[in-house]
Amino acid sequence: MRRRTIIRTTFGTAVTALLVATTSCGTGSEPVASEREPASSGEWELQELDLDVGPDSEPPFATDGAEAIIVTAGEDGAVSSLVSTGGGPFRAGEPHPTDLAPLWLGAAGRLGDDWIVLGSGGSEEVDGDTTFRKDPVVLRSADGTTWEQLEATGFSGPVDIEESVVADDAMVVVGARREEGDPGSEQFTATAWRSTDGRSWKETRLPDATASSYAVDVVDAGDRLLALGGIGNKTVAWASDDDGATWARTTLDGVPKRAHVNFIAGRGDVLVATGFVPSPDSDEGAGTGHLAYRSTDGGRHWAPAAQPPPDQGEQWGYPAAGRDGRFFVTTSTYLESWSQPEVCYADIDQCRQDSEVVLYTSDDGDRWERVDTSGFGTGEAGEIDDITTLEDGTVIAGRAGEHAWTIGRWPGDVDLPTAPPPTKTTVEIDLLEQGDTPEVGHRYAAPLHIHCGMDWLYLGEQPWQRTDDGPDVETGAGEAASADWPVAQQTIFGFATLVDDDTVEYSIGDGEVIATYGRPTQDPVPCM
């Protein structure tokens, strides 16, 4: 869903922010509308917002009743906001300067009569290098347009503020406590904070948290709060039965033990979680399978979704729960060629396509269907980065561009349009298994990565050195391949044939040999 690079979900009283770019408020927009008549037919009502790109941060996007706000931090640390009432157009608030630059905003919600936003920031020069202080900051606004910085207490040092939830009369925030004196280090501890007024906070180190632990999400799970994070590379969950005053370790029963569960969303007892299972030979590397799990008892027991969004090569986005009970999640149509070469060999254009973010929705978290966003005006299929709902079911979605946002509103009394899921064709290919010896005369599918050129080919993990003086391609140096070669993602999807014990011919689909390889006369040169 930050662009830290995929999506993030922020929970306040139903707060969501997916794939959000860092921004600061630019020019204002149309005056706010206090009421909005229900539409009889569905279409996206679009609004362009002029925004400047700030530092690598994310602006909270929050809703409460009929109100929605987007809070942004500029490069100078100034805080601005955009406010919508009754599903009407967003209007710009007044910038509020802070002494913390850069500033990262991580959580927002309505606490009593006020909007509360939290983050951290600040920097200083030390021996010619910039050090980020990560000083905590809390801001308050009665109407979402005019802000004041509070002299908040209860933070014992530098922090990362991740997510929040409002439970009864308290705001609960999770994140990590950074190492005192060296907030840029890898020493951070999973921590929760709780406040009933936004000014005085109680800090709680989450149970069993070590100096390499973190909390990334928190959600209202009906009769308790559920926080999600990790200790080292292990996914960990914590539960609170007293609105965040105290916490205990808990389990995600039914979720694979090796799974990395990234983020959760919930409405009442029904929760949705997404994540992946890491490769067996990797502590934290690429996933071998994407997870979409569902719980109907507040996160105590979990089961895989019966009809999840399709697995398209990148992990799913962070799930979001709308105020009307619907769930949302995004996925990408981007295909990692190394993991699904059968798609590239079937049709190379499928692997040449840019990544497209596709939106899915579900009424129960169990069965998901694709939302038709073509009317959103963001390309052939339309992409949505941020999404939430108001209490009347009005959907508010955002598309973050480099210097602007497109905001779309969908009427609450009209069902979202659906579309068939994206499909990819595949073809059966004969790949030589790792460590196997090729047979003479057999033609194997052999993707050849050409970032560093075509000098080396690996066939069955045996390196082969190029022997001919034919055309070379080095995409890392800006040298493009011939237009008729099957190249995508800096890889030639060609074929290798061992013609005799000492010679390999590399050809493309029509049989044209484009390179010849022999036994190496030197050690392979690593590609950097």
Side-chain angles (χ1 to χ4, degrees), residues 34-57:
S34 58
E35 295 292 339
R36 180 174 172 279
E37 292 297 324
S40 58
S41 61
E43 61 180 12
W44 290 104
E45 300 175 8
L46 303 179
Q47 179 186 4
E48 294 290 334
L49 303 175
D50 294 328
L51 301 169
D52 297 325
V53 177
D56 181 21
S57 177

Side-chain angles (χ1 to χ4, degrees), residues 1 17-18 38 90 111-112 125 128 156 167 184 222 225 244 320 326 328 335 342 357 387 396 413 421 425 427 451 473:
M1 335 150 109
L18 309 174
F90 281 83
L111 181 59
E125 295 293 323
S156 63
L225 301 184
R326 278 179 292 181
F328 299 94
L335 291 169
E342 66 277 4
V357 177
I387 191 162
I396 298 180
D413 62 341
T425 59
V427 65
H451 179 81
V473 177

Side-chain angles (χ1 to χ4, degrees), residues 345 430-432 438-448 457-460 464 492-499 503-508 515 517:
Y345 278 95
D430 191 359
L431 284 168
L432 192 65
E439 298 179 10
V440 175
H442 193 95
R443 193 178 191 226
Y444 297 95
L448 176 58
L457 169 71
Y458 287 83
L459 187 61
W464 295 80
I492 305 174
F493 290 91
F495 301 85
T497 304
L498 183 66
V499 295
T503 307
V504 173
E505 291 182 342
Y506 193 80
S507 60
I508 54 179
Y517 296 84

Side-chain angles (χ1 to χ4, degrees), residues 131-422:
T131 298
F132 298 112
R133 297 200 310 265
K134 292 284 187 174
D135 296 340
V137 62
V138 181
L139 299 117
R140 178 176 65 187
S141 174
D143 59 4
T145 63
T146 303
W147 295 85
E148 64 171 324
Q149 186 173 338
L150 301 179
E151 294 184 6
T153 62
F155 297 90
S156 63
V159 298
D160 287 326
I161 298 296
E162 294 293 341
E163 309 293 346
S164 67
V165 65
V166 175
D168 287 340
D169 61 347
M171 186 172 188
V172 179
V173 179
V174 299
R177 167 71 163 75
R178 286 278 181 173
E179 183 73 11
E180 186 71 47
D182 187 15
S185 74
E186 294 302 312
Q187 301 297 309
F188 39 84
T189 304
T191 305
W193 296 268
R194 183 179 188 273
S195 176
T196 57
D197 61 4
R199 188 183 297 274
S200 300
W201 295 82
K202 177 189 175 184
E203 182 176 278
T204 302
R205 176 172 174 162
L206 293 173
D208 300 331
T210 66
S212 59
S213 61
Y214 52 90
V216 294
D217 212 347
V218 62
V219 66
D220 187 338
D223 61 348
R224 63 177 186 164
L225 301 184
L226 188 65
L228 188 69
I231 298 176
N233 293 321
K234 180 181 179 181
T235 294
V236 174
W238 296 273
S240 174
D241 296 324
D242 52 12
D243 298 329
T246 61
W247 295 87
R249 280 280 298 274
T250 188
T251 60
L252 301 176
D253 185 36
V255 176
K257 293 186 181 299
R258 282 182 47 79
H260 284 193
V261 182
N262 295 330
F263 292 92
I264 52 177
R267 296 301 299 168
D269 291 336
V270 180
L271 306 180
V272 169
T274 61
F276 68 95
V277 178
S279 302
D281 58 350
S282 172
D283 290 335
E284 53 180 293
T288 57
H290 302 165
L291 305 177
Y293 271 66
R294 173 178 179 263
S295 171
T296 58
D297 60 3
R300 294 173 176 82
H301 302 89
W302 296 82
Q307 186 177 310
D311 184 339
Q312 292 285 357
E314 286 188 340
Q315 72 179 37
W316 292 315
Y318 309 156
R323 293 181 60 83
D324 58 348
R326 278 179 292 181
F327 292 91
F328 299 94
V329 73
T330 60
T331 184
S332 172
T333 60
Y334 178 78
L335 291 169
E336 296 167 326
S337 60
W338 60 268
S339 65
Q340 300 185 56
E342 66 277 4
V343 176
C344 306
Y345 278 95
D347 182 354
I348 192 66
D349 286 337
Q350 295 181 125
C351 287
R352 288 173 174 164
Q353 294 173 358
D354 292 333
S355 176
E356 175 190 339
V357 177
V358 181
L359 179 67
Y360 279 78
T361 189
S362 173
D363 290 331
D364 57 7
D366 200 30
R367 298 183 181 276
W368 296 79
E369 57 183 348
R370 182 183 179 183
V371 178
D372 181 0
T373 57
S374 58
F376 201 76
T378 59
E380 181 179 349
E383 294 185 6
I384 288 179
D385 295 332
D386 319 299
I387 191 162
T388 188
T389 63
L390 302 180
E391 60 184 358
D392 66 352
T394 297
V395 177
I396 298 180
R399 165 66 172 158
E402 184 175 0
H403 295 291
W405 270 10
T406 299
I407 294 293
R409 293 172 292 276
W410 186 270
D413 62 341
V414 180
D415 291 338
L416 284 166
T418 59

Side-chain angles (χ1 to χ4, degrees), residues 114-127:
D114 295 322
W115 291 105
I116 301 293
V117 174
L118 294 91
S120 64
S123 64
E124 58 188 11
E125 295 293 323
V126 179
D127 297 330

